[in-house]
Amino acid sequence: MSESDFSSDQESNDSDTELQLAFAEGRLSGGLNIQQAAPKTFTNDVEGLKRKLVELKNDLGWLERLDLTNKPAPAQPGTDMVGDEDVHDDFKRELTFYRQAQATVQQGIQQLQKLGVKTKRPEDYFAQMAKSDDHMKMVREKLLEKQVSMERSEKAKKMRELRKYGKKVQHEVLQKRQKEKREMMDAVKKYKKGQKDKLDFLDDKGPPNKKQKTGQKQEFHANKKREYKNKKFGFGGQKKRSKMNTAKSSADMSDFNPHIHQKKHGNKSGGKKTNTKKKGPAKRPGKSKRQKMKSKH
């Protein structure tokens, strides 16, 4: 073992012994030992502060100081703000500053006149702003952007409300139509089964005509297409033996037209009718007949 290793082991043994002695005497508590900083002490030197205040204070007259402490001037009629003051409202805050400056000017002029100091109001006065024009331009752009975003959000909100209202109305209309359809189908089924003598929904012929007087019953008239189909196909019922002749229909000659249904044939000789059709070329005999004809020769 080298000399350096021996010295490090001796130091570790000494540190362990010192810790054991400190723990036995009660100077060490159980658990981790964390070094803490000493608490700060604050000195409230009232007398020293008063001495410094006397040194800094100058007994100057009000004309040299021109300091005033007052409340804002009363608001003009129509410009007073109703409600709690909002510190985040730029317009209200600037208006409060303006009213306080107005009250300060009025009180300061009165005191100057008491002291015999002449005052004059300048015809035009330009005060340097605390913020540059570029900065105010950026502020204005931000305000305009905020206003546009608020208007868009309000417009989108109104559109959502209108869309919800439209869907609600559409749903109510569909429910009403389905209810009317169910009632109509139930009425038709009852009519087919013989439980009802007539269909009530056929009495409603739609909105009244403008030319029709109030209280006058409107008559139902089928359109041309419906009339044609009724005439062609009928109204249902039995179709069998519908075209059979009767004595009345047989004696009815109203639909007979002699020019169309009766044709006169010109045969003055009074003999048999001759076939006026032209004969075509003679047909070729069959194969067996042709062979017989060849055998004869």
Side-chain angles (χ1 to χ4, degrees):
M1 181 182 292
S2 63
E3 186 178 354
S4 60
D5 296 336
F6 180 76
S7 60
S8 62
D9 292 339
Q10 187 66 25
E11 290 177 357
S12 63
N13 292 331
D14 293 341
S15 61
D16 294 339
T17 305
E18 291 176 357
L19 289 174
Q20 291 176 0
L21 291 174
F23 183 74
E25 293 175 358
R27 291 180 293 168
L28 296 178
S29 59
L32 296 176
N33 296 314
I34 301 173
Q35 186 177 2
Q36 297 180 351
K40 292 183 179 181
T41 57
F42 299 94
T43 304
N44 187 12
D45 190 2
V46 179
E47 297 297 332
L49 292 174
K50 289 182 178 180
R51 287 195 302 270
K52 290 296 181 182
L53 181 61
V54 171
E55 292 178 5
L56 295 173
K57 188 175 181 181
N58 294 324
D59 295 331
L60 299 176
W62 179 83
L63 190 60
E64 299 294 334
R65 300 194 314 271
L66 295 177
D67 57 341
L68 291 172
T69 303
N70 51 11
K71 295 182 179 179
Q76 296 295 327
T79 61
D80 51 342
M81 296 295 177
V82 181
D84 299 335
E85 296 293 336
D86 188 5
V87 295
H88 299 288
D89 193 343
D90 297 338
F91 182 74
K92 290 183 179 180
R93 186 171 60 252
E94 293 294 334
L95 186 60
T96 304
F97 291 160
Y98 171 76
R99 288 167 53 192
Q100 189 168 9
Q102 185 181 10
T104 304
V105 170
Q106 292 176 356
Q107 186 177 354
I109 290 176
Q110 292 178 1
Q111 293 191 13
L112 289 174
Q113 289 177 356
K114 290 180 181 179
L115 296 174
V117 179
K118 295 181 179 181
T119 59
K120 180 182 179 182
R121 180 178 180 180
E123 297 179 357
D124 198 357
Y125 177 72
F126 294 97
Q128 184 66 28
M129 296 180 63
K131 298 179 181 179
S132 62
D133 294 340
D134 296 337
H135 184 81
M136 294 303 296
K137 185 178 179 181
M138 292 174 60
V139 172
R140 180 175 177 80
E141 290 177 355
K142 289 290 183 181
L143 292 175
L144 290 175
E145 184 179 355
K146 184 178 179 181
Q147 183 179 2
V148 170
S149 63
M150 291 178 63
E151 290 177 357
R152 288 178 180 175
S153 62
E154 290 293 333
K155 186 176 180 181
K157 185 178 179 181
K158 290 181 180 179
M159 292 296 294
R160 286 195 296 270
E161 292 178 355
L162 290 174
R163 196 177 296 112
K164 288 181 181 178
Y165 180 74
K167 288 183 178 179
K168 182 180 178 181
V169 172
Q170 185 179 9
H171 183 65
E172 291 178 355
V173 170
L174 291 176
Q175 286 185 342
K176 184 178 179 182
R177 289 180 180 175
Q178 291 176 359
K179 182 179 178 181
E180 292 177 353
K181 185 177 180 180
R182 286 196 300 269
E183 293 177 353
M184 184 180 67
M185 295 301 294
D186 293 340
V188 171
K189 288 180 181 179
K190 290 180 180 179
Y191 180 77
K192 287 182 178 180
K193 292 179 180 179
Q195 298 177 1
K196 296 183 70 174
D197 297 337
K198 62 179 181 177
L199 298 177
D200 298 334
F201 62 88
L202 293 178
D203 297 337
D204 188 8
K205 304 300 188 301
N209 192 3
K210 294 181 179 179
K211 298 181 180 179
Q212 182 181 1
K213 296 181 179 180
T214 307
Q216 185 179 359
K217 188 176 180 181
Q218 184 180 4
E219 297 181 358
F220 177 77
H221 296 283
N223 54 12
K224 298 296 181 181
K225 186 176 180 180
R226 183 73 265 168
E227 289 179 358
Y228 173 75
K229 288 188 176 181
N230 291 340
K231 184 178 179 181
K232 182 176 181 181
F233 302 106
F235 296 91
Q238 185 179 4
K239 300 294 189 299
K240 189 176 181 181
R241 296 184 296 274
S242 60
K243 296 184 179 181
M244 290 181 63
N245 287 333
T246 60
K248 185 177 180 180
S249 63
S250 300
D252 188 10
M253 300 293 293
S254 59
D255 295 336
F256 179 75
N257 190 352
H259 298 286
I260 298 174
H261 300 95
Q262 184 179 6
K263 293 183 179 180
K264 296 180 178 179
H265 300 281
N267 189 3
K268 297 179 181 180
S269 59
K272 295 182 179 180
K273 295 181 180 179
T274 58
N275 191 1
T276 56
K277 292 183 180 180
K278 296 182 179 180
K279 294 182 179 181
K283 293 184 179 180
R284 183 183 180 187
K287 187 176 181 180
S288 58
K289 289 184 178 182
R290 293 199 305 269
Q291 289 179 353
K292 288 180 181 180
M293 291 172 66
K294 288 181 180 179
S295 61
K296 288 180 181 180
H297 295 289

